[in-house]
Amino acid sequence: MSAVLDHHDAHAHDHDHHAPTGWRRWVFATNHKDIGTLYLLFSFVMLMVGGVLALGIRAELFQPGLQLVNPELFNQLTTMHGIIMVFGAIMPAFVGFANWMLPLQIGASDMAFARMNNFSFWLMVPAAIIIVLSFFMPGGAPAAGWTLYAPLTLQMGPSMDAAIFAMHILGASSIMGSINIIVTILNMRAPGMTLMKMPMFAWTWLITAYLLIAVMPVLAGAITMTLTDRHFGTSFFNPAGGGDPIMYQHIFWFFGHPEVYIMILPAFGIVSQVVPAFARKKLFGYASMVYATGSIAILSFVVWAHHMFTTGMPVTGQLFFMYSTMLIAVPTGVKIFNWIATMWKGSMTFETPMMWAVGFIFVFTMGGFTGLMLSMAPIDINFQDTYYVVAHFHYVLVAGSLFAMFAGVYYWLPKWTGVMYSEFRGKLHFWWSMISFNVTFFPMHFLGLAGMPRRYADYPMQFADFNAIASVGAFAFGIAQVYFFFFVILPAMQGKGEKASQKPWEGAEGLEWEVPSPAPHHTFENPPKLDATATKVIG
């Protein structure tokens, strides 16, 4: 039925097909590996753009008083930092990982819809350009916060329309990417790889893709209503015409809360690949991990209004959203328990990917605990819109999504480039990032507890010390990521370094380690024959 893939065939693939070269290879790319690389490079560029805006925020907050920017520009910086990091950096990076790794992990020759894959990537570039150029439109960039709350959005200049247009394009890109991922996983797995034998990364992306298809149209609806309120005389969110700005919050957060899990579930998948490899053990409780991921996805749809405890919600509503939010801690706790149980009595070694994964588990758990405190309505009323919230979501998004991505990059980089990165540089990047991250965001918990509101360009003297510490940490963290690019990624892309073996990590399992390093342009043209565990090729 299915031909055996031996390593000679894998090497020969590059010569069978004339892969386009030069700029045509990238502009017209239909190969999943090339598109994955484009996504990852694009997301890193956007990470740097969003990072520069963040450093503008921290530079202003270094000391009390207005130093560098006026309050209007400050609000534009906070808004665009959020939009660019969420839609331009974190989400595309995970799609890049999916493009690169899913076909390799499930034994598919490519993604299901190769041209749609190309289109979904290239849609992002004009959208990103529009978002960045909105700073130069009359009145400057949108300044309503990344959530784009009414009625502020109804008062913004033309850049608001540009941002709405760009977010529609990004949403279309996400939906196309998700359809591609679902069809690839459900229809193109190698014979013998049942759903319950798939790698956890494939499972987390399958569930994430369904979430994206469910919620991106909700965001599209919310921003379209904003657009018609602005230009076509409707009053969805305008109280003067009988509308309700609180309705916008309900619609936005019905998208926004599943969106938070869209940005963390693939991270869980990466960590679930890395931890067993370096503990040299099977993942503890694989089935419970799958069910926990599904539970998180389902529960994410019934917790949205925990962002809105201070909007005058009835007590019964507060209780429902409080309890449902606390409930999400259960499947998340199952995951953390399983990772720790996987490491328990394993033959652990601490190469750079494992350090990032363990760092992720530690710091993400701290972010989860602060989220549990925010889930309690009476406590949240004090924390609402303070720096405590800023600290919480950066602990789960930076120490969560970003740290897991770094684990994934170091883990799969030898497979992508064919060379080993410098272990010393990887560990330096890890410790530099971990320390500077905590120096930046840990003091924000105290600022929030003391009552410092977020999105303020100025503050009284009592908040000065912690703000100064946070600003220093932020600049150190930013420089660490520049170091990562120039001293880890660039040398690997240029092929500098020790040649990587086919399977550089002793404990790694999965089909991606059955092809040579670097992975040939075309792999698994004939479906591989799998062993009983669906992790190795027979023959």
Side-chain angles (χ1 to χ4, degrees):
M1 214 26 216
S2 54
V4 174
L5 172 83
D6 68 20
H7 302 319
H8 171 73
D9 288 342
H11 275 298
H13 288 163
D14 270 351
H15 308 295
D16 299 343
H17 298 268
H18 298 293
T21 53
W23 61 270
R24 278 187 178 80
R25 172 180 174 181
W26 301 102
V27 172
F28 302 123
T30 51
N31 182 281
H32 71 97
K33 301 178 182 78
D34 287 349
I35 293 173
T37 303
L38 285 170
Y39 266 110
L40 289 166
L41 289 173
F42 169 86
S43 69
F44 189 81
V45 170
M46 297 310 283
L47 183 78
M48 291 293 103
V49 173
V52 167
L53 302 182
L55 293 183
I57 296 167
R58 288 312 326 166
E60 176 54 55
L61 293 174
F62 181 66
Q63 58 188 39
L66 293 177
Q67 274 73 239
L68 305 170
V69 298
N70 61 30
E72 288 76 24
L73 180 56
F74 184 86
N75 286 344
Q76 292 170 31
L77 291 176
T78 53
T79 302
M80 301 313 287
H81 164 69
I83 289 174
I84 288 169
M85 287 303 200
V86 170
F87 297 104
I90 300 289
M91 289 171 71
F94 280 134
V95 179
F97 276 104
N99 265 295
W100 240 109
M101 297 317 303
L102 287 178
L104 288 179
Q105 288 192 327
I106 64 173
S109 56
D110 206 308
M111 298 294 278
F113 306 115
R115 292 190 189 281
M116 187 165 88
N117 208 6
N118 174 290
F119 187 44
S120 67
F121 170 76
W122 284 110
L123 274 179
M124 302 190 72
V125 177
I129 291 169
I130 290 169
I131 283 176
V132 173
L133 290 182
S134 68
F135 276 104
F136 305 101
M137 294 180 181
W146 83 275
T147 51
L148 304 179
Y149 273 1
L152 289 170
T153 42
L154 310 181
Q155 300 156 12
M156 296 285 135
S159 64
M160 187 48 126
D161 305 317
I164 288 171
F165 180 51
M167 288 171 81
H168 271 300
I169 300 174
L170 290 169
S173 164
S174 290
I175 289 171
M176 283 193 280
S178 301
I179 291 169
N180 214 345
I181 286 165
I182 290 170
V183 175
T184 303
I185 291 175
L186 294 185
N187 290 359
M188 296 179 68
R189 298 191 308 284
M193 181 175 280
T194 60
L195 282 175
M196 290 308 277
K197 286 181 180 171
M198 287 198 311
M200 267 315 296
F201 182 65
W203 258 116
T204 54
W205 244 117
L206 178 65
I207 291 168
T208 301
Y210 277 112
L211 277 179
L212 272 164
I213 290 173
V215 302
M216 291 314 287
V218 178
L219 175 68
I223 57 180
T224 303
M225 286 190 265
T226 301
L227 193 71
T228 60
D229 273 10
R230 284 169 57 80
H231 297 294
F232 301 106
T234 58
S235 294
F236 291 111
F237 312 129
N238 185 358
D244 186 0
I246 301 295
M247 182 172 81
Y248 177 86
Q249 294 192 27
H250 278 290
I251 300 169
F252 179 87
W253 286 116
F254 190 78
F255 147 80
H257 205 81
E259 166 68 16
V260 173
Y261 293 99
I262 286 163
M263 292 189 283
I264 199 65
L265 289 181
F268 291 166
I270 292 172
V271 172
S272 300
Q273 302 293 129
V274 173
V275 169
F278 294 96
R280 289 161 184 76
K281 275 174 66 184
K282 286 256 183 261
L283 181 67
F284 181 90
Y286 171 89
S288 66
M289 283 294 237
V290 173
Y291 298 135
T293 309
S295 308
I296 289 172
I298 292 162
L299 285 171
S300 73
F301 282 100
V302 294
V303 298
W304 77 89
H306 66 212
H307 299 266
M308 302 168 53
F309 282 145
T310 56
T311 56
M313 191 188 304
V315 173
T316 42
Q318 291 187 15
L319 284 171
F320 171 80
F321 288 107
M322 184 166 90
Y323 293 142
S324 59
T325 304
M326 288 178 181
L327 202 57
I328 272 200
V330 176
T332 313
V334 167
K335 288 183 168 298
I336 290 165
F337 170 79
N338 285 5
W339 291 322
I340 293 169
T342 305
M343 293 188 273
W344 185 254
K345 294 196 174 174
S347 306
M348 282 171 59
T349 52
F350 288 96
E351 287 89 345
T352 309
M354 186 59 161
M355 294 183 75
W356 280 108
V358 173
F360 161 90
I361 293 168
F362 170 66
V363 196
F364 175 80
T365 304
M366 289 171 59
F369 275 128
T370 57
L372 204 54
M373 292 166 72
L374 288 166
S375 74
M376 300 177 206
I379 299 177
D380 180 75
I381 287 164
N382 289 311
F383 292 155
Q384 173 80 17
D385 271 336
T386 67
Y387 265 77
Y388 192 90
V389 178
V390 178
H392 157 68
F393 70 70
H394 282 87
Y395 265 79
V396 287
L397 276 183
V398 182
S401 303
L402 192 65
F403 282 15
M405 278 183 214
F406 286 139
V409 168
Y410 284 104
Y411 183 58
W412 285 311
L413 196 63
K415 184 59 63 188
W416 296 346
T417 61
V419 295
M420 295 299 290
Y421 60 87
S422 155
E423 200 64 54
F424 170 78
R425 290 176 181 177
K427 287 184 171 155
L428 176 62
H429 174 225
F430 169 76
W431 285 113
W432 186 352
S433 297
M434 180 59 91
I435 293 167
S436 57
F437 167 81
N438 281 291
V439 168
T440 306
F441 293 106
F442 200 74
M444 293 186 188
H445 292 104
F446 302 124
L447 288 169
L449 288 166
M452 179 172 168
R454 62 200 271 209
R455 297 181 186 155
Y456 274 43
D458 191 9
Y459 53 86
M461 203 59 216
Q462 72 254 35
F463 302 134
D465 293 348
F466 280 141
N467 269 302
I469 293 167
S471 292
V472 171
F475 277 87
F477 186 76
I479 295 164
Q481 310 329 313
V482 176
Y483 170 86
F484 164 70
F485 184 75
F486 283 105
F487 292 94
V488 176
I489 296 298
L490 271 187
M493 287 171 72
Q494 293 162 353
K496 294 177 183 169
E498 179 192 330
K499 181 95 179 68
S501 64
Q502 177 178 307
K503 185 175 162 184
W505 315 118
E506 184 193 326
E509 284 202 337
L511 293 184
E512 70 261 44
W513 307 111
E514 300 290 321
V515 299
S517 301
H521 195 66
H522 293 281
T523 40
F524 300 128
E525 296 197 333
N526 300 309
K529 273 186 184 164
L530 306 178
D531 68 356
T533 61
T535 58
K536 291 190 178 68
V537 175
I538 304 169

